[in-house]
Amino acid sequence: MMRPAVIKAIFLTTMLCALISSPAHAEVRILASPGGQVGPFIDLFERVRASGERVVIDGPCLSACTLVLSMVPGDRICVTRKAILGFHAARSVDGRGRMYAEPEASELVLQAYPAAVRGWISRRGGLSSRLLLLRGRELAAIYPSCR
């Protein structure tokens, strides 16, 4: 049986996909994403990048959701006052359901982020199991406010 967090992540990813595939939308709006498996987010953000649509971060974009920063050009990303970006080290789950660190993947993800985001993460000690939250003035100094 799937855990509620997994079901929620799948539902939110599905909702984001529905927004992207709709031709009536000139933008993709991230309202709340807890993250989840990396693969679906990579597929999703590749489609967003190819579509030319703007991404509006208008709520929490945590974990794998932050891959949007490395996959969609920065000039097509804007943030609202409700935007929160959450970063942590990469991790995987083994066959028995135990989590373990993926240091090589963490380094690859960190290097893929834009320089300003990498610097912000580095000034806070780097990626670890602790969730780092980028929001408010610090976020607005990196990404423009949505108009």
Side-chain angles (χ1 to χ4, degrees):
M1 181 160 174
M2 284 204 248
R3 292 178 288 166
V6 173
I7 293 169
K8 183 178 178 183
I10 291 169
F11 173 76
L12 290 172
T13 301
T14 303
M15 294 306 294
L16 279 173
C17 288
L19 284 175
I20 290 167
S21 61
S22 173
H25 290 89
E27 63 187 32
V28 174
R29 187 170 292 266
I30 298 173
L31 299 173
S33 175
Q37 296 278 329
V38 171
F41 282 91
I42 289 173
D43 294 343
L44 174 67
F45 296 138
E46 282 177 349
R47 289 196 305 273
V48 172
R49 182 180 58 223
S51 76
E53 291 178 304
R54 177 173 83 145
V55 175
V56 175
I57 302 174
D58 191 19
C61 175
L62 310 178
S63 190
C65 178
T66 64
L67 292 173
V68 69
L69 306 177
S70 57
M71 298 187 69
V72 173
D75 63 350
R76 289 186 13 224
I77 297 173
C78 68
V79 297
T80 71
R81 291 184 5 222
K82 295 186 285 184
I84 301 171
L85 299 175
F87 306 91
H88 64 79
R91 52 191 180 223
S92 291
V93 179
D94 67 16
R96 293 185 172 163
R98 295 177 295 201
M99 273 196 196
Y100 60 94
E102 292 277 9
E104 294 87 10
S106 294
E107 186 58 30
L108 287 172
V109 168
L110 182 62
Q111 292 310 312
Y113 287 134
V117 174
R118 276 196 318 270
W120 183 88
I121 291 170
S122 295
R123 289 189 299 278
R124 277 141 193 85
L127 295 175
S128 69
S129 60
R130 182 174 56 102
L131 187 65
L132 299 174
L133 297 176
L134 174 57
R135 60 182 154 199
R137 287 190 178 123
E138 291 178 305
L139 180 55
I142 298 173
Y143 286 97
S145 294
C146 302
R147 297 178 203 254

mmCIF file of all heavy atoms in Angstrom, residues 43-68:
data_model
loop_
_atom_site.group_PDB
_atom_site.id
_atom_site.type_symbol
_atom_site.label_atom_id
_atom_site.label_comp_id
_atom_site.label_asym_id
_atom_site.label_seq_id
_atom_site.Cartn_x
_atom_site.Cartn_y
_atom_site.Cartn_z
ATOM 1 N N ASP A 43 11.151 14.677 -16.399
ATOM 2 C CA ASP A 43 10.281 14.611 -17.582
ATOM 3 C C ASP A 43 9.399 15.851 -17.674
ATOM 4 O O ASP A 43 9.252 16.452 -18.742
ATOM 5 C CB ASP A 43 9.393 13.364 -17.527
ATOM 6 C CG ASP A 43 10.181 12.071 -17.629
ATOM 7 O OD1 ASP A 43 11.353 12.105 -18.063
ATOM 8 O OD2 ASP A 43 9.616 11.017 -17.255
ATOM 9 N N LEU A 44 8.802 16.221 -16.570
ATOM 10 C CA LEU A 44 7.911 17.371 -16.520
ATOM 11 C C LEU A 44 8.638 18.658 -16.909
ATOM 12 O O LEU A 44 8.181 19.408 -17.772
ATOM 13 C CB LEU A 44 7.336 17.493 -15.108
ATOM 14 C CG LEU A 44 6.491 18.711 -14.791
ATOM 15 C CD1 LEU A 44 5.202 18.679 -15.590
ATOM 16 C CD2 LEU A 44 6.189 18.735 -13.296
ATOM 17 N N PHE A 45 9.788 18.904 -16.314
ATOM 18 C CA PHE A 45 10.487 20.157 -16.571
ATOM 19 C C PHE A 45 11.160 20.187 -17.947
ATOM 20 O O PHE A 45 11.378 21.260 -18.499
ATOM 21 C CB PHE A 45 11.461 20.470 -15.443
ATOM 22 C CG PHE A 45 10.762 20.712 -14.127
ATOM 23 C CD1 PHE A 45 11.263 20.191 -12.946
ATOM 24 C CD2 PHE A 45 9.576 21.441 -14.068
ATOM 25 C CE1 PHE A 45 10.619 20.404 -11.740
ATOM 26 C CE2 PHE A 45 8.917 21.655 -12.860
ATOM 27 C CZ PHE A 45 9.444 21.142 -11.693
ATOM 28 N N GLU A 46 11.456 19.022 -18.517
ATOM 29 C CA GLU A 46 11.915 18.990 -19.913
ATOM 30 C C GLU A 46 10.797 19.477 -20.834
ATOM 31 O O GLU A 46 11.035 20.232 -21.774
ATOM 32 C CB GLU A 46 12.358 17.588 -20.320
ATOM 33 C CG GLU A 46 13.727 17.220 -19.809
ATOM 34 C CD GLU A 46 14.131 15.800 -20.159
ATOM 35 O OE1 GLU A 46 13.287 14.996 -20.632
ATOM 36 O OE2 GLU A 46 15.319 15.482 -19.941
ATOM 37 N N ARG A 47 9.561 19.042 -20.550
ATOM 38 C CA ARG A 47 8.418 19.498 -21.353
ATOM 39 C C ARG A 47 8.184 20.997 -21.182
ATOM 40 O O ARG A 47 7.876 21.704 -22.131
ATOM 41 C CB ARG A 47 7.156 18.707 -21.004
ATOM 42 C CG ARG A 47 7.222 17.266 -21.495
ATOM 43 C CD ARG A 47 5.854 16.593 -21.506
ATOM 44 N NE ARG A 47 5.145 16.619 -20.254
ATOM 45 C CZ ARG A 47 5.268 15.720 -19.271
ATOM 46 N NH1 ARG A 47 6.081 14.694 -19.432
ATOM 47 N NH2 ARG A 47 4.559 15.817 -18.167
ATOM 48 N N VAL A 48 8.320 21.477 -19.960
ATOM 49 C CA VAL A 48 8.150 22.907 -19.705
ATOM 50 C C VAL A 48 9.215 23.698 -20.463
ATOM 51 O O VAL A 48 8.918 24.704 -21.112
ATOM 52 C CB VAL A 48 8.215 23.222 -18.192
ATOM 53 C CG1 VAL A 48 8.229 24.725 -17.947
ATOM 54 C CG2 VAL A 48 7.043 22.577 -17.469
ATOM 55 N N ARG A 49 10.455 23.253 -20.382
ATOM 56 C CA ARG A 49 11.550 23.941 -21.091
ATOM 57 C C ARG A 49 11.253 23.998 -22.583
ATOM 58 O O ARG A 49 11.361 25.049 -23.218
ATOM 59 C CB ARG A 49 12.880 23.242 -20.831
ATOM 60 C CG ARG A 49 14.050 23.954 -21.515
ATOM 61 C CD ARG A 49 15.377 23.273 -21.280
ATOM 62 N NE ARG A 49 15.324 21.903 -21.741
ATOM 63 C CZ ARG A 49 15.825 20.875 -21.075
ATOM 64 N NH1 ARG A 49 16.414 21.044 -19.911
ATOM 65 N NH2 ARG A 49 15.739 19.660 -21.568
ATOM 66 N N ALA A 50 10.837 22.878 -23.164
ATOM 67 C CA ALA A 50 10.553 22.817 -24.594
ATOM 68 C C ALA A 50 9.338 23.654 -24.989
ATOM 69 O O ALA A 50 9.280 24.172 -26.108
ATOM 70 C CB ALA A 50 10.344 21.358 -25.022
ATOM 71 N N SER A 51 8.394 23.827 -24.066
ATOM 72 C CA SER A 51 7.165 24.561 -24.379
ATOM 73 C C SER A 51 7.387 26.062 -24.487
ATOM 74 O O SER A 51 6.587 26.766 -25.098
ATOM 75 C CB SER A 51 6.106 24.299 -23.301
ATOM 76 O OG SER A 51 6.404 25.039 -22.115
ATOM 77 N N GLY A 52 8.435 26.566 -23.865
ATOM 78 C CA GLY A 52 8.673 28.003 -23.849
ATOM 79 C C GLY A 52 7.854 28.732 -22.797
ATOM 80 O O GLY A 52 7.928 29.957 -22.699
ATOM 81 N N GLU A 53 7.067 28.002 -22.030
ATOM 82 C CA GLU A 53 6.217 28.626 -21.024
ATOM 83 C C GLU A 53 7.029 29.144 -19.837
ATOM 84 O O GLU A 53 8.095 28.643 -19.530
ATOM 85 C CB GLU A 53 5.174 27.638 -20.517
ATOM 86 C CG GLU A 53 4.126 27.297 -21.561
ATOM 87 C CD GLU A 53 3.131 26.290 -21.066
ATOM 88 O OE1 GLU A 53 3.545 25.196 -20.631
ATOM 89 O OE2 GLU A 53 1.939 26.597 -21.116
ATOM 90 N N ARG A 54 6.458 30.147 -19.191
ATOM 91 C CA ARG A 54 7.045 30.717 -17.987
ATOM 92 C C ARG A 54 6.607 29.871 -16.793
ATOM 93 O O ARG A 54 5.504 29.325 -16.772
ATOM 94 C CB ARG A 54 6.537 32.146 -17.825
ATOM 95 C CG ARG A 54 7.017 32.835 -16.569
ATOM 96 C CD ARG A 54 6.611 34.287 -16.584
ATOM 97 N NE ARG A 54 5.255 34.434 -16.112
ATOM 98 C CZ ARG A 54 4.818 35.458 -15.398
ATOM 99 N NH1 ARG A 54 5.630 36.461 -15.132
ATOM 100 N NH2 ARG A 54 3.575 35.518 -14.999
ATOM 101 N N VAL A 55 7.467 29.778 -15.779
ATOM 102 C CA VAL A 55 7.151 29.061 -14.548
ATOM 103 C C VAL A 55 6.959 30.078 -13.429
ATOM 104 O O VAL A 55 7.838 30.898 -13.171
ATOM 105 C CB VAL A 55 8.269 28.067 -14.161
ATOM 106 C CG1 VAL A 55 7.979 27.425 -12.807
ATOM 107 C CG2 VAL A 55 8.438 27.005 -15.238
ATOM 108 N N VAL A 56 5.800 30.014 -12.792
ATOM 109 C CA VAL A 56 5.484 30.870 -11.654
ATOM 110 C C VAL A 56 5.537 29.984 -10.406
ATOM 111 O O VAL A 56 4.753 29.044 -10.281
ATOM 112 C CB VAL A 56 4.077 31.489 -11.795
ATOM 113 C CG1 VAL A 56 3.723 32.289 -10.547
ATOM 114 C CG2 VAL A 56 3.995 32.346 -13.047
ATOM 115 N N ILE A 57 6.468 30.269 -9.526
ATOM 116 C CA ILE A 57 6.534 29.525 -8.267
ATOM 117 C C ILE A 57 5.722 30.331 -7.258
ATOM 118 O O ILE A 57 6.094 31.444 -6.897
ATOM 119 C CB ILE A 57 7.980 29.303 -7.805
ATOM 120 C CG1 ILE A 57 8.764 28.547 -8.890
ATOM 121 C CG2 ILE A 57 8.002 28.524 -6.483
ATOM 122 C CD1 ILE A 57 10.244 28.381 -8.611
ATOM 123 N N ASP A 58 4.588 29.754 -6.837
ATOM 124 C CA ASP A 58 3.598 30.466 -6.043
ATOM 125 C C ASP A 58 3.246 29.695 -4.774
ATOM 126 O O ASP A 58 2.111 29.684 -4.327
ATOM 127 C CB ASP A 58 2.334 30.690 -6.902
ATOM 128 C CG ASP A 58 1.343 31.643 -6.275
ATOM 129 O OD1 ASP A 58 1.740 32.417 -5.385
ATOM 130 O OD2 ASP A 58 0.163 31.606 -6.671
ATOM 131 N N GLY A 59 4.217 29.013 -4.217
ATOM 132 C CA GLY A 59 4.017 28.220 -3.013
ATOM 133 C C GLY A 59 5.243 27.353 -2.818
ATOM 134 O O GLY A 59 6.266 27.545 -3.483
ATOM 135 N N PRO A 60 5.167 26.365 -1.939
ATOM 136 C CA PRO A 60 6.311 25.496 -1.692
ATOM 137 C C PRO A 60 6.690 24.649 -2.913
ATOM 138 O O PRO A 60 5.836 24.039 -3.546
ATOM 139 C CB PRO A 60 5.836 24.589 -0.551
ATOM 140 C CG PRO A 60 4.669 25.289 0.052
ATOM 141 C CD PRO A 60 4.035 26.079 -1.049
ATOM 142 N N CYS A 61 7.961 24.658 -3.237
ATOM 143 C CA CYS A 61 8.560 23.818 -4.286
ATOM 144 C C CYS A 61 9.751 23.163 -3.605
ATOM 145 O O CYS A 61 10.810 23.764 -3.471
ATOM 146 C CB CYS A 61 8.979 24.700 -5.470
ATOM 147 S SG CYS A 61 9.860 23.826 -6.781
ATOM 148 N N LEU A 62 9.545 21.940 -3.123
ATOM 149 C CA LEU A 62 10.521 21.290 -2.277
ATOM 150 C C LEU A 62 11.190 20.118 -2.980
ATOM 151 O O LEU A 62 10.616 19.507 -3.880
ATOM 152 C CB LEU A 62 9.837 20.793 -0.998
ATOM 153 C CG LEU A 62 8.970 21.808 -0.244
ATOM 154 C CD1 LEU A 62 8.311 21.160 0.968
ATOM 155 C CD2 LEU A 62 9.769 23.034 0.161
ATOM 156 N N SER A 63 12.396 19.837 -2.551
ATOM 157 C CA SER A 63 13.100 18.633 -2.957
ATOM 158 C C SER A 63 13.242 18.539 -4.479
ATOM 159 O O SER A 63 13.800 19.444 -5.101
ATOM 160 C CB SER A 63 12.379 17.415 -2.352
ATOM 161 O OG SER A 63 13.116 16.244 -2.506
ATOM 162 N N ALA A 64 12.731 17.484 -5.092
ATOM 163 C CA ALA A 64 12.886 17.279 -6.536
ATOM 164 C C ALA A 64 12.239 18.385 -7.363
ATOM 165 O O ALA A 64 12.638 18.640 -8.500
ATOM 166 C CB ALA A 64 12.323 15.918 -6.942
ATOM 167 N N CYS A 65 11.272 19.071 -6.810
ATOM 168 C CA CYS A 65 10.636 20.188 -7.526
ATOM 169 C C CYS A 65 11.654 21.272 -7.864
ATOM 170 O O CYS A 65 11.534 21.947 -8.888
ATOM 171 C CB CYS A 65 9.494 20.760 -6.689
ATOM 172 S SG CYS A 65 8.665 22.185 -7.431
ATOM 173 N N THR A 66 12.677 21.441 -7.019
ATOM 174 C CA THR A 66 13.667 22.492 -7.258
ATOM 175 C C THR A 66 14.519 22.236 -8.498
ATOM 176 O O THR A 66 15.244 23.122 -8.938
ATOM 177 C CB THR A 66 14.587 22.697 -6.042
ATOM 178 O OG1 THR A 66 15.354 21.512 -5.820
ATOM 179 C CG2 THR A 66 13.787 23.070 -4.795
ATOM 180 N N LEU A 67 14.389 21.052 -9.086
ATOM 181 C CA LEU A 67 15.097 20.783 -10.350
ATOM 182 C C LEU A 67 14.646 21.751 -11.437
ATOM 183 O O LEU A 67 15.363 21.950 -12.418
ATOM 184 C CB LEU A 67 14.874 19.334 -10.789
ATOM 185 C CG LEU A 67 15.519 18.278 -9.913
ATOM 186 C CD1 LEU A 67 15.087 16.886 -10.355
ATOM 187 C CD2 LEU A 67 17.024 18.403 -9.922
ATOM 188 N N VAL A 68 13.490 22.368 -11.265
ATOM 189 C CA VAL A 68 13.025 23.374 -12.223
ATOM 190 C C VAL A 68 14.082 24.456 -12.409
ATOM 191 O O VAL A 68 14.249 24.999 -13.496
ATOM 192 C CB VAL A 68 11.663 23.978 -11.804
ATOM 193 C CG1 VAL A 68 11.776 24.842 -10.559
ATOM 194 C CG2 VAL A 68 11.034 24.745 -12.947
#
